[in-house]
Amino acid sequence: MNKCVTVIVGTKWGDEGKGKIAAREAKDADLVIRATGGANAGHTVVYKGEKLALHLVPGGIVYPQTTCIIGPGTVIDPDVLWSEIQMLKNCGVFDVEGRLKISGRAHVILPYHKDLDELHEKMKKHPVGTTKRGIGPCYSDKANRIGIRMYDLLLPEIELEKKIKEATKLHNQAFKENGMEEKIIDVRKLAIRCRLLGLRLERCITDIAPIIADKICYNKKIVVEGAQAFRLDLDHGDYPMVTSSHPVTAGTLCGAALPPQALKTVIGIDKAYNSRVGNGPFPTELPASIDENGNVIKGAKPLEGDVVRDLGHEYGTTTGRPRRCGWMDAVILRSAKYTSGIDYLCINHLDTLGEIGNKLGYVKVCVGYLYQGHMIDFYPDDIELTHEIPEPIYETLNGGWTIDSSCETYEDLPELAKAFIKIVEDASGIPVKYLGTGPANDDLIVREDV
Ligand code: IMP
């Protein structure tokens, strides 16, 4: 089988800047696929100088030669999707509806999934800190085999109504029992709304398998834009503080309906410092002035985590929440290498880390952990059992650096920045091929020799 698939995956907790490499790889791709998750993800693409925020449509849509697929492993909010399609059309993007193919097997996020997301979070002693986009409830309906799929939006209204009625029996009971009567689902109204969205999206909803088979047969370049990241994976992440899909490479291939034999390259994306939004373990997290609800405490004396967050502008694109920030964790990268099969790394925000170093006087990289009295170089699996967060062992570099427009190649980089990259490569065992040196897509150093 032709090996023509490049997969782009996050290596930590998301927000690593996957869009930059996705844009580069999509430029000469034939097919670009979104495989997992839904409108909990978000990235900006640049079209004719204008920044467009996308949550569902693959960023590759801005290149006119691409076909773009939203795969069967995704969960789609049809209202969000419809507004994205309209926005792209209004901006003059070429033949959006002709090039966008939505798997009829993908599941639909309906308003009650978002209400349930809110309710489940409220009921938990330790909330996950979800994006409240209805992701978990939609995937659990899917696993429960009561989900509504994109194909269902094409059914006659009466049949669709029956399906929604069946699907929402238990949900209505939950709303009633928890004093949320106002959320009880008006099945008829919802079926009419869904049918309308079905009619709008009909042109794009299809069987994507023959499209994929055709591209593989003719050895056309296929790029998969991963969403979320390794530590948010339902099976391999910090369960239960995870998302409800499988953002690792294998899950991404499955969600895209791609055979593993077609895989050519996996590019893992990270940032030179790390961040996490939502709750859960974060061994290299730095102290910050954020209250228990995740809000910045105004007027508080800035701590190390605040310096990183402010210099990195670390506020969620989907939710606007301030992100928790910390040092680069190369141990997680090493674990990601073996779970997600990562060939190359892209490290974004190398410029920002230099500025952090300039401000604080040092930067750190976590190269091992102290855990249960031992030094380890792999992310431990049993944190939920031991209730112990691994203690980072750091290598420290004194000072920071500045990357200006004269830095065009790896050789041009300040020595301290190169020393940082070397530490990351040694500790993770993954070659760093790409370096993000600024916010624009072109602010990227590619090491052709790696
Ligand atoms: P959910 O995916 O909305 O259910 O949220 C589950 C966890 O994953 C929460 O901690 C979210 O903050 C996190 N999460 C989900 N999507 C993203 C993302 O695209 N970037 C970063 N974190 C995410």
Side-chain angles (χ1 to χ4, degrees), residues 272-273 286 304 306-312 326-328 349-365 395-403 414 416-417 420:
Y273 56 89
L286 288 165
E304 281 170 299
D306 300 311
V307 171
V308 178
R309 189 187 60 242
D310 288 344
L311 287 171
W327 295 120
M328 151 65 72
H349 278 284
L350 187 64
D351 55 323
T352 312
L353 185 68
E355 294 311 321
I356 292 164
N358 289 337
K359 182 121 186 178
L360 295 177
Y362 52 87
V363 300
K364 296 187 183 186
V365 185
E395 280 201 27
T396 303
L397 294 167
N398 290 319
W401 53 82
T402 301
I403 297 179
L416 213 54
F420 165 78

Side-chain angles (χ1 to χ4, degrees), residues 167 199 260 283:
L199 286 171

